[in-house]
Amino acid sequence: MGRPGTLLHVHSAFSFLDGVSLPESLVAAAAARDIGTMALTDTHRLSGLVLFLKAAAAAGIKPVAGATVRVAGDGGVLVLLAPGPDRYIQLTQLLTHAHVGHPRGAPAVERDALEEWGPGLVALSGGRRGVLDRLIYAGRHQAALRQAEWLRGIFGPHFFLEVGAGWLPGDRTVRRALQELSEHLGIPLLATPEVHYAYPEDFPLYDLLVAVRHGLRVEEPHPDRPLNAEGYVKSEAETARALGDLAAPALRGAAMLAERLEPPDLLGKNRTPRFGDDPDASFKRLATLAWAGARHRYGRQWRRAEARIRHELRIITDLGFQDYFLAVEDVARFARAAGIRFAGRGSAADSVVAYCLGITHVDALARDLLFERFLSRERAETPDIDLDFDARRRDEVAEYVRQRYGAGQVAAVATYQTFRARLALRQIGKVLGFPAGELDELAKSLPPRPLLQTEAAWEEVPELRELKVSPRAHELLRWAALAEGVPRHIGTHLGGLVISSEPLLTVTPFETSAKGIQLAQFDKRDVEDLGLLKLDLLSLRTFTALTDTVATIRQVEPEFDDDRLPAADPAVYRRLQAADTIGTFQLESPAQRALARRLEPDRYEDIVASLALIRPGPIKGNMVDPFVARRRGEEPVRYPHPELEPILKKTFGVVLFQEQVIAIASQLAGFNPGEADQLRRVMTHARSTAEMERLGTRFREKAIARGISPEAAEEVFQQMVGYASYGFNEAHAAAFAETAYRTVYLLDRYPGPYLTGLLNAEPMGFYPLDVLITEARRRELAILPIDIERSEGPYFYDHAARGIRVGFLAVKGLEEQVAAQIAEARQKPWHHPLQILERAGVRPDLGALLIRVGAFDRQRPDREHLLSEWLFANPLGLERSGAGRPWSLGERLHWEYQILGFGQSEQAMTLFRPGLKARGFLTAAAANNQPDQEPIRVAGVPIRPHRPPTRSGRLIVFFSLLDETGLIDASMNEERYRRFGHFLFSAQHRGPLSVAGRMRRGTLMVTAMGPVPLP
Amino acid sequence: MRREGQSGASSNRRQTRMACQMAWQGDEPVRFFWRGRWRQVIRVQEAWLDAGRWWTGEKPLWFYRVATATGMYELAAEGAGVATAQIYRVYD
């Protein structure tokens, strides 16, 4: 006999602020309470369904798909269940109608939509917030009767009067009325508790989240606030106790319904669109394209790749992924034809077929990359091919996909935004009545770690220690910690598009994203379980910058082609060795530049290795120091076993890449590559001693059988265990290295066009605008100020003046259309420059911003006077009294930083320089030339302070200081951080800092720090 | 103070706070002693649980709206079976 209990009105955390537990947690609680049938009925969404179905299957609970909907016109809520797979689509249609037909954030179901799609679904009256109880509680019994008759007309015998077990005031009155309705209309009663969390102890968080939803303080009452902690997963006995006399018939009604409900048929299906009539046809098409591509990529040498391509095609076909590859190839082909810059990233670059199809640009054969890191029979997961596109044109590609497959079969993939520490603190703090200013300071001062850890280590975090907050702040952190990780709202995945061979409504409802895009209700993990094809079409602003850069260069060098750059330009490596790479792709961070100073790269492989080394894994795995020492010849290159030399030669014996772990297991122990990748993945994710021991035994046995000594087998295994979880994907590093090299070359040879391209592609990269502008000046490029007659919308490079002209779009809040109107308005003759703004219809506030940043300086240098003319009417046409005073540099910079975010005239530290110089402070440029251990003092604006993971686990702070000569990188240890960290991380401290310390290998090791007094 | 107005809790009643002795049958009150005499409960009209101001550490209370021969009362108890409760409201 199955479990007797039923739960048919259950909200998970995917009801967003109307539930707190994840489906897995609810299922676990239900299983412990002997529940046999359970429906997930989140509000207006099915987002938790895949997790729910999987958890229920594992727990032996019959899962039912459902949703709670609000009936339009203040009609209360209704719980809808899909009684079986054939009715599921009605649920998705109703939910789509609720979202798409109503304003974002206020979904509702209209009565006529219920009449159209409702018949065949099961409907429950919704409990105390439901369509009937609300009327009954208000004493409107006749209205309740009419409502019940209407719903019975729609749903027929599938409409039930829901009786809850919430122990609320008025329950008995409502129950009596429901019983009368049931007897009068013949509508069955149905007992089910309304669940919003798994366990009673989850209640306070639920109450807080409901208060967040309604913007309430915790003391404020609201009909939706729960009165008690009875919204947990109840056993049948607990439900019966609450229902009194009605328990028997209502529980019987629930049991009878549960008997005939069936789960949706969603998982374990392949919904990939087909490119041929059958899999064979798709395979032939894929093979034809791959062979054609091989001939193009390898020319007459293509047979070198033949065995590898055959091997890959066999695996792709065995796993049934031929249509997936064809779909990605189709997108790549479109982008190429449309001239949209793109590249495949990630482990897809391990595939020679992907290279031959033009999906990736890394020759996996030449690099000897292992396909099985990407795809193998043993892994049998849907492969993940990420494509980066020029950010400005990525939506064109998405639109092509929509046209290609039909709008009903394509949607954006959802993401579930969860409460992060800061958001949880702000929102829960507001409910608990903390002042907004205090919350803001507290939130900005939070270190990047879980709130409970922060609360426990409060006194050790200087920026928190310095804060003057109420003693209740500790309590707030503890409450907010409960919300951390709970789904908060739905978002749009940055690049994910889901495509289905059948209408997507058979799987998911649609919503409309903030950008107006059709959005599925499932995230990337869910869509894989649903067998849908997911394309990752990502936006890469670096590609936008590159496209712009090339266009600028072609203005003077029409033949320039960045696909034909010299393969090993010495200037590129000189720049890398000098760590002069701010603005380049992936090589600009202080950590990368510090590595470059030590590594002294002089070949392409050094770039690939650098991109892999500066990652949390290799840093924690202690790979950086041995790699650098061996690369520099300061330490002998050793191999764990002589047979491994061919595999580890390129990384000097260090197991840096994930592909190497796979190759070692294959080479030494005879694992096939797919098995070896499984081994790597288990090593990465599983850390139990027993599991490791099992793996070790298997590895040793196989290695010894192949003639390896037991000692050597053990040593190699231990090294693999040590490295496996820290290694980086070589294919990904190689794919990024290609773009990185390109950007270093362009920065070196064409700094003006390249930096202009970067400025137009902002926000991107590691550094703010002021750093890039300072870099441009450092390279002796002029910053040509915004000019009402000369500027365009974007920045542009003036070849003749060797300068970057600031564009109108640099002004915060000024949009493209306004910039275009200004450009058009100035074509006609004018008597007074303000006529341009008037003709262009520029808003007064935007016009004032343009005047304040000097857009009219060439025509009317008196900004004060011009502002008066612009902002104040002068019907008498009077002349202004007295001559205008030119603005000081300080005044100009004040407005420039406010309006543009950078110093257009000068970098801000110029103002402080005379005083700093007199007190012996060095500029960043001078400091960077100081010998090691020299004590120095510098001052500048702190840039990107951060506390990355370190090998030792100790805390180290990295940051840079910006002044008018550029950046100086700095770091400080834990002890200094405790003394001075608040200057960098606390919201209370703003403005430039003076820093004392000693230089070591290009980095300032901080000994003291303090604010710089205003000049 | 309970959180009036939540989940439909009514609030326009005269409130009082006096202790009374209780007698129970199962989970429900059957009589209570107030102003010198026992009052027989004719019917428990409503029973509900109120979490109170949990954020201040307040304990939850069970409420019973009961009809007696002399009128309607709301009794508040920390749980069924307790010896003492409070007369929370008296209905005019």
Side-chain angles (χ1 to χ4, degrees):
Chain A
M1 184 175 158
R3 293 175 175 142
T6 58
L7 289 176
L8 299 176
H9 187 170
V10 180
H11 293 265
S12 76
F14 291 101
S15 279
F16 299 138
L17 305 180
D18 198 18
V20 300
S21 305
L22 291 173
E24 300 95 312
S25 174
L26 292 164
V27 167
R33 283 167 175 74
D34 227 12
I35 300 296
T37 303
M38 181 173 171
L40 188 69
T41 57
D42 280 315
T43 311
H44 293 127
R45 63 185 57 257
L46 300 174
S47 297
L49 190 57
V50 171
L51 290 175
F52 172 59
L53 293 176
K54 288 161 69 178
I61 288 176
K62 181 162 78 176
V64 178
T68 302
V69 297
R70 187 171 64 82
V71 179
D74 199 26
V77 303
L78 197 62
V79 174
L80 300 173
L81 306 176
D86 55 330
R87 297 292 183 180
Y88 179 78
I89 191 169
Q90 289 175 238
L91 195 59
T92 63
Q93 274 170 322
L94 267 172
L95 293 175
T96 301
H97 152 83
H99 283 284
V100 175
H102 296 87
R104 258 174 62 77
V109 173
E110 301 292 336
R111 292 168 77 92
D112 56 353
L114 267 183
E115 285 162 3
E116 186 178 352
W117 290 306
L121 293 175
V122 170
L124 317 184
S125 58
R128 285 299 293 268
R129 292 187 291 180
V131 284
L132 298 181
D133 292 21
R134 288 153 52 101
L135 295 171
I136 294 169
Y137 192 75
R140 298 174 59 198
H141 291 267
Q142 280 305 311
L145 177 66
R146 285 196 299 276
Q147 183 89 304
E149 283 174 331
W150 172 65
L151 289 164
R152 192 186 54 176
I154 295 172
F155 297 102
H158 307 305
F159 178 54
F160 293 82
L161 301 178
E162 179 180 337
V163 190
W167 291 107
L168 295 173
D171 266 1
R172 292 185 187 201
T173 308
V174 171
R175 276 208 299 269
R176 278 193 292 274
L178 287 174
Q179 190 175 17
E180 281 170 21
L181 265 182
S182 171
E183 286 164 3
H184 182 65
L185 296 174
I187 302 171
L189 294 166
L190 183 141
T192 188
E194 185 176 331
V195 174
H196 292 270
Y197 40 90
Y199 304 103
E201 54 268 32
D202 298 327
F203 159 72
L205 177 60
Y206 175 58
D207 195 17
L208 288 169
L209 294 190
V210 173
V212 168
R213 176 153 55 98
H214 290 291
L216 303 170
R217 297 272 287 268
V218 72
E219 298 86 2
E220 287 181 80
H222 187 281
D224 281 352
R225 291 279 300 280
L227 190 75
N228 58 38
E230 293 292 308
Y232 64 95
V233 171
K234 288 186 169 168
S235 66
E236 197 170 72
E238 287 171 305
T239 303
R241 182 178 161 244
L243 298 187
D245 296 346
L246 241 51
L251 285 169
R252 200 163 46 245
M256 285 171 66
L257 173 60
E259 189 75 17
R260 60 188 177 83
L261 292 174
E262 292 300 327
D265 186 17
L266 289 175
L267 305 182
K269 294 194 163 191
N270 186 351
R271 297 181 167 90
T272 303
R274 302 268 167 236
F275 275 73
D277 294 336
D278 55 53
D280 269 359
S282 294
F283 170 73
K284 280 179 190 148
R285 184 181 162 89
L286 178 67
T288 305
L289 289 170
W291 292 122
R295 286 186 179 86
H296 177 75
R297 290 286 202 194
Y298 297 107
R300 281 189 289 180
Q301 302 288 310
W302 72 274
R303 283 201 178 276
R304 280 194 302 119
E306 189 177 359
R308 170 71 180 253
I309 290 172
R310 281 191 198 289
H311 170 70
E312 289 190 16
L313 285 174
R314 248 194 321 273
I315 294 177
I316 292 167
T317 315
D318 287 355
L319 294 171
F321 293 137
Q322 53 270 47
D323 290 301
Y324 175 68
F325 273 77
L326 286 169
V328 180
E329 188 278 334
D330 183 69
V331 168
R333 187 203 302 242
F334 164 77
R336 214 169 8 256
I340 299 171
R341 189 180 288 266
F342 77 97
R345 66 152 80 170
S347 62
D350 279 309
S351 164
V352 174
V353 166
Y355 177 62
C356 292
L357 294 176
I359 294 169
T360 60
H361 304 326
V362 174
D363 183 354
L365 190 70
R367 294 196 65 82
D368 201 17
L369 296 174
L370 277 172
F371 180 66
E372 280 73 8
R373 168 62 187 81
F374 171 56
L375 189 62
S376 69
R377 288 189 187 88
E378 289 75 8
R379 194 167 172 175
E381 283 176 3
T382 310
D384 220 353
I385 303 179
D386 295 341
L387 297 178
D388 287 319
F389 293 91
D390 175 340
R392 213 176 279 156
R393 301 190 66 187
R394 182 263 173 199
D395 288 352
E396 286 178 48
V397 184
E399 186 51 35
Y400 165 74
V401 173
R402 273 183 213 105
Q403 299 280 337
R404 172 84 171 74
Y405 298 94
Q409 282 161 250
V410 179
V413 176
T415 54
Y416 310 133
Q417 306 294 324
T418 56
F419 274 102
R420 302 271 174 86
R422 284 184 180 181
L423 183 66
L425 184 110
R426 284 180 193 277
Q427 299 211 324
I428 302 288
K430 192 174 166 195
V431 171
L432 294 176
F434 280 76
E438 190 172 326
L439 281 179
D440 193 48
E441 279 188 19
L442 195 52
K444 284 180 178 162
S445 302
L446 284 180
R449 60 172 83 150
L451 285 170
L452 276 184
Q453 281 182 26
T454 300
E455 199 270 329
W458 187 283
E459 287 303 313
E460 293 163 34
V461 182
E463 54 270 35
L464 289 175
R465 200 180 52 221
E466 288 284 311
L467 281 181
K468 292 177 182 57
V469 291
S470 76
R472 286 176 58 222
H474 284 267
E475 190 190 341
L476 165 60
L477 255 63
R478 287 194 291 272
W479 286 120
L482 295 176
E484 254 183 315
V486 173
R488 168 70 176 74
H489 56 271
I490 198 166
T492 310
H493 187 276
L494 279 178
L497 277 189
V498 71
I499 307 171
S500 175
S501 56
E502 53 198 80
L504 265 175
L505 278 174
T506 59
V507 181
T508 178
F510 296 131
E511 302 188 20
T512 308
S513 77
K515 281 174 68 181
I517 294 166
Q518 181 165 280
L519 179 65
Q521 284 195 339
F522 295 107
D523 81 349
K524 61 179 183 176
R525 285 171 308 179
D526 294 340
V527 300
E528 192 171 312
D529 288 322
L530 291 165
L532 298 164
L533 188 152
K534 179 170 75 72
L535 288 179
D536 276 314
L537 313 179
L538 304 165
S539 293
L540 189 65
R541 286 173 180 267
T542 297
F543 282 170
T544 310
L546 285 175
T547 302
D548 268 18
T549 303
V550 171
T552 305
I553 296 170
R554 283 181 182 162
Q555 290 166 0
V556 290
E557 289 181 44
E559 301 303 314
F560 180 79
D561 183 354
D562 68 318
D563 283 333
R564 299 184 191 286
L565 302 183
D569 184 28
V572 165
Y573 295 104
R574 276 199 301 275
R575 179 165 294 281
L576 283 168
Q577 287 162 17
D580 194 1
T581 48
I582 288 168
T584 60
F585 180 63
Q586 296 279 318
L587 293 172
E588 63 175 344
S589 70
Q592 276 292 356
R593 288 184 288 110
L595 174 68
R597 285 187 199 102
R598 298 168 62 198
L599 193 64
E600 297 178 349
D602 63 8
R603 64 197 76 166
Y604 189 74
E605 288 309 311
D606 288 337
I607 299 177
V608 178
S610 297
L611 293 177
L613 280 166
I614 302 299
R615 304 279 169 178
I619 290 170
K620 278 189 187 165
N622 189 23
M623 295 174 187
V624 181
D625 289 342
F627 185 94
V628 172
R630 294 178 188 192
R631 169 69 182 83
R632 289 170 60 93
E634 294 164 356
E635 183 182 290
V637 174
R638 287 192 309 269
Y639 299 102
H641 189 275
E643 275 191 44
L644 301 183
E645 182 172 346
I647 298 168
L648 298 178
K649 195 170 183 180
K650 64 178 157 189
T651 51
F652 310 97
V654 174
V655 188
L656 175 60
F657 299 124
Q658 293 162 346
E659 287 88 339
Q660 290 172 320
V661 176
I662 300 171
I664 291 170
S666 303
Q667 175 73 26
L668 229 56
F671 282 79
N672 76 40
E675 289 174 326
D677 183 52
Q678 268 199 316
L679 179 85
R680 176 193 69 80
R681 284 154 59 88
V682 174
M683 282 179 170
T684 304
H685 301 296
R687 282 291 174 198
S688 85
T689 318
E691 201 162 5
M692 280 295 166
E693 190 46 47
R694 261 199 313 280
L695 279 174
T697 305
R698 190 150 164 256
F699 179 86
R700 281 188 295 271
E701 283 172 2
K702 291 187 80 135
I704 292 164
R706 291 169 61 87
I708 307 295
S709 75
E711 297 75 26
E714 175 62 22
E715 190 191 333
V716 172
F717 181 75
Q718 288 308 330
Q719 286 212 16
M720 285 167 67
V721 171
Y723 285 116
S725 54
Y726 299 121
F728 194 70
N729 179 206
E730 181 181 355
H732 183 65
F736 271 13
E738 204 272 335
T739 304
Y741 177 89
R742 211 177 277 235
T743 59
V744 181
Y745 180 91
L746 291 171
L747 176 67
D748 188 77
R749 297 300 174 98
Y750 301 95
Y754 181 69
L755 288 168
T756 308
L758 281 188
L759 289 167
N760 279 327
E762 285 287 321
M764 62 176 287
F766 197 83
Y767 295 107
L769 278 174
D770 206 24
V771 173
L772 296 180
I773 293 283
T774 306
E775 278 297 294
R777 284 200 189 95
R778 198 169 68 80
R779 291 168 199 286
E780 296 177 352
L781 297 168
I783 301 303
L784 306 171
I786 197 163
D787 187 314
I788 198 68
E789 289 184 284
R790 292 176 178 172
S791 287
E792 302 293 338
Y795 298 82
F796 69 87
Y797 184 65
D798 186 330
H799 295 275
R802 207 180 132 69
I804 299 170
R805 174 69 68 185
V806 180
F808 294 128
L809 297 176
V811 173
K812 286 174 188 167
L814 196 150
E815 291 171 354
E816 275 183 48
Q817 194 190 351
V818 177
Q821 285 162 353
I822 293 172
E824 193 185 333
R826 70 190 178 198
Q827 300 300 320
K828 294 180 195 160
W830 46 266
H831 303 295
H832 191 291
L834 288 179
Q835 281 176 294
I836 298 173
L837 296 185
E838 283 162 5
R839 275 184 208 150
V842 175
R843 290 197 326 250
D845 57 328
L846 283 179
L849 295 183
L850 284 166
I851 295 168
R852 286 191 168 108
V853 292
F856 294 88
D857 274 6
R858 220 166 35 81
Q859 299 81 6
R860 295 282 194 282
D862 185 348
R863 294 185 195 178
E864 206 62 56
H865 188 180
L866 207 60
L867 269 174
S868 302
E869 285 188 85
W870 173 243
L871 293 175
F872 306 113
N874 182 12
L876 302 180
L878 301 177
E879 285 297 314
R880 192 163 182 262
S881 166
R885 174 183 64 82
W887 283 9
S888 69
L889 179 61
E891 284 170 307
R892 279 186 283 143
L893 288 179
H894 167 80
W895 287 112
E896 287 169 10
Y897 277 91
Q898 290 266 318
I899 295 167
L900 303 172
F902 60 86
Q904 179 182 243
S905 309
E906 299 279 357
Q907 202 278 334
M909 291 308 292
T910 311
L911 286 173
F912 296 81
R913 186 55 57 200
L916 291 168
K917 196 174 174 185
R919 289 155 55 207
F921 280 79
L922 297 180
T923 61
N928 278 322
N929 287 325
Q930 294 299 305
D932 273 8
Q933 298 306 324
E934 186 73 15
I936 56 165
R937 289 191 299 164
V938 289
V941 180
I943 303 286
R944 293 287 303 261
H946 60 290
R947 293 158 280 200
T950 57
R951 172 164 46 97
S952 62
R954 283 209 310 270
L955 196 148
I956 298 182
V957 176
F958 293 98
F959 65 101
S960 304
L961 285 175
L962 176 69
D963 72 13
E964 72 278 23
T965 67
L967 283 181
I968 179 166
D969 297 329
S971 79
M972 59 186 178
N973 61 25
E974 194 160 347
E975 188 263 324
R976 299 280 192 274
Y977 160 71
R978 294 198 193 295
R979 286 175 61 193
F980 306 116
H982 56 285
F983 290 120
L984 288 171
F985 294 103
S986 169
Q988 290 176 328
H989 293 278
R990 301 240 174 246
L993 296 175
S994 65
V995 176
R998 292 172 191 273
M999 292 302 289
R1000 200 174 82 193
R1001 290 199 298 218
T1003 299
L1004 176 63
M1005 314 307 283
V1006 176
T1007 53
M1009 181 185 282
V1012 175
L1014 288 172
Chain B
M1 184 63 195
R2 315 313 291 179
R3 291 182 292 153
E4 308 290 349
Q6 283 180 209
S7 297
S10 53
S11 61
N12 55 345
R13 306 285 196 263
R14 183 161 62 80
Q15 292 178 15
T16 179
R17 291 291 170 81
M18 277 171 279
C20 64
Q21 277 178 276
M22 297 290 292
W24 301 81
Q25 188 165 40
D27 288 345
E28 306 230 319
V30 287
R31 59 180 192 275
F32 58 95
F33 189 83
W34 186 52
R35 288 192 176 165
R37 66 186 174 98
W38 283 96
R39 288 155 205 267
Q40 189 70 28
V41 173
I42 299 170
R43 194 172 62 247
V44 179
Q45 282 204 323
E46 293 290 347
W48 71 90
L49 179 62
D50 186 331
R53 297 159 59 92
W54 55 264
W55 57 94
T56 64
E58 195 171 85
K59 292 262 171 52
L61 283 179
W62 284 91
F63 284 78
Y64 303 89
R65 185 176 300 150
V66 299
T68 70
T70 55
M72 192 88 82
Y73 298 84
E74 267 179 30
L75 309 174
E78 288 191 1
V82 295
T84 316
Q86 288 181 342
I87 306 285
Y88 195 77
R89 286 188 178 114
V90 179
Y91 290 70
D92 294 328

